[in-house]
């Protein structure tokens, strides 16, 4: 089914699902939807804009097997963090140099493996609706991996990007989000974060920002609102403000 939010004055509406048919939300229903007002948006990549779970599962389950760890337990930890930070949690006391060496090797493997990398539903339309809206990509991936995954998913890279090379601490540390806000020139309290992982949601909250949780992983970690995917978000601009209507 193809769903489209009704366009209002000053709003930027976009498709909500693929297929045929049309759904327009009546004004009385839209008035009941949560609305977050911000000046800038800070966007995670994996699980939020790009569905890379197939690759992440392949790479990390191989690593788990090589280290005698339960793959299911490993997958509960790795989303949102830089690889070496996940390894430090999973193998406490392991020398940091070994974690960084494994992380470098795995980043190269991930960058070469785009099989199954697709956009999160609604991501292309959502990013298109942000033209003129201050926003930044804040990801635990490095520059080569983030560039490759966004391209594989057919998504444009935001002009402002905070990647693994840009920070000294991985999510759940708030450094990346605070840096993104600073580069956009917007106060942290005026930013809304889009995240899928527990580590990312914790980082957004620690930065003093509101958080939209995206996808099934997000609900357990206390974001301000949760959406199934980006088809449930409509962006409206009113002067310098960005209003996020959440279905």
């Amino acid at each position: 089914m193809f769903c489209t939010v009704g366009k209002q004055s000053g709003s930027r509406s976009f498709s909500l699902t693929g297929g045929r048919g049309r759904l327009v939300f009546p004004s009385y229903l839209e008035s009941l939807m949560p609305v977050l007002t911000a000046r800038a948006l800070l966007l995670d990549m994996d699980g939020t804009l790009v569905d890379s779970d197939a690759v992440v599962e392949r790479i990390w389950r191989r690593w788990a097997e090589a280290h005698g760890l339960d793959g299911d337990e490993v997958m509960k930890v790795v989303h949102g963090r830089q690889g070496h930070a996940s390894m430090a949690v999973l193998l406490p006391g392991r020398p940091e140099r070994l974690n960084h060496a494994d992380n470098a090797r795995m980043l190269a493997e991930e960058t070469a493996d785009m099989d199954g990398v697709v956009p999160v539903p609604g991501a292309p339309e959502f990013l298109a609706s942000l033209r003129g809206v201050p926003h930044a990509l804040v990801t635990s991936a490095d520059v080569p991996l983030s560039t490759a995954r966004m391209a594989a998913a057919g998504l444009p890279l935001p002009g402002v990007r905070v990647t693994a090379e840009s920070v000294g601490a991985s999510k759940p540390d708030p450094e990346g989000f605070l840096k993104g806000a600073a580069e956009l020139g917007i106060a942290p309290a005026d930013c809304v974060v889009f995240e899928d992982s527990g580590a990312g949601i914790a980082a957004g909250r620690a930065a003093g920002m509101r958080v939209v949780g995206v996808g099934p992983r997000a609900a357990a970690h206390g974001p301000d609102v949760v959406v199934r995917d980006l088809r449930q978000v409509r962006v409206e601009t009113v002067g310098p403000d960005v209003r996020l209507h959440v279905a």
Side-chain angles (χ1 to χ4, degrees):
M1 185 172 66
F2 181 84
C3 302
T4 306
V5 240
K7 187 171 184 178
Q8 299 178 337
S9 175
S11 69
R12 298 177 182 181
S13 302
F14 55 89
S15 302
L16 294 182
T17 62
R20 294 180 297 175
R22 179 178 173 85
L23 174 65
V24 176
F25 288 107
S27 59
Y28 73 88
L29 286 180
E30 188 160 317
S31 67
L32 301 176
M33 298 174 184
V35 178
L36 296 176
T37 300
R39 293 291 178 91
L41 308 182
L42 301 176
L43 314 173
D44 175 52
M45 183 183 71
D46 292 301
T48 302
L49 298 174
V50 175
D51 181 353
S52 57
D53 279 5
V55 182
V56 174
E57 289 266 348
R58 283 195 294 273
I59 301 261
W60 276 100
R61 285 186 182 276
R62 285 201 299 265
W63 183 88
E65 183 177 3
H67 290 85
L69 300 175
D70 181 85
D72 292 339
E73 294 304 312
V74 167
M75 295 314 302
K76 293 176 183 178
V77 172
V78 301
H79 293 290
R81 292 179 170 88
Q82 292 184 37
H84 64 84
S86 295
M87 294 169 197
V89 173
L90 292 162
L91 294 174
R94 187 187 194 219
E96 188 176 342
R97 62 180 176 78
L98 297 180
N99 292 340
H100 280 277
D102 273 5
N103 185 51
R105 175 181 54 78
M106 291 167 72
L107 280 171
E109 290 178 7
E110 289 184 86
T111 303
D113 184 357
M114 292 296 129
D115 187 19
V117 174
V118 295
V120 165
E125 297 85 355
F126 175 73
L127 286 173
S129 76
L130 299 185
R131 285 190 292 269
V133 173
H135 65 286
L137 187 71
V138 182
T139 175
S140 292
D142 62 5
V143 168
L145 181 57
S146 58
T147 302
R149 280 192 177 156
M150 291 289 281
L155 300 176
L157 278 166
V160 176
R161 300 183 289 277
V162 180
T163 61
E165 300 94 334
S166 308
V167 297
S170 170
K171 300 172 185 177
D173 191 280
E175 181 185 357
F177 287 124
L178 292 173
K179 181 164 282 192
E183 291 197 23
L184 293 172
I186 305 294
D190 291 326
C191 296
V192 168
V193 166
F194 282 71
E195 264 285 1
D196 72 300
S197 70
I201 291 167
R205 287 204 168 281
M209 302 172 183
R210 289 153 296 156
V211 182
V212 176
V214 180
R217 282 190 290 268
H221 302 288
D224 293 275
V225 296
V226 181
V227 296
R228 181 180 62 256
D229 55 50
L230 293 171
R231 295 175 293 184
Q232 291 187 270
V233 183
R234 181 173 66 82
V235 178
E236 178 187 17
T237 55
V238 181
D241 290 338
V242 184
R243 292 181 184 173
L244 303 170
H245 299 261
V246 180

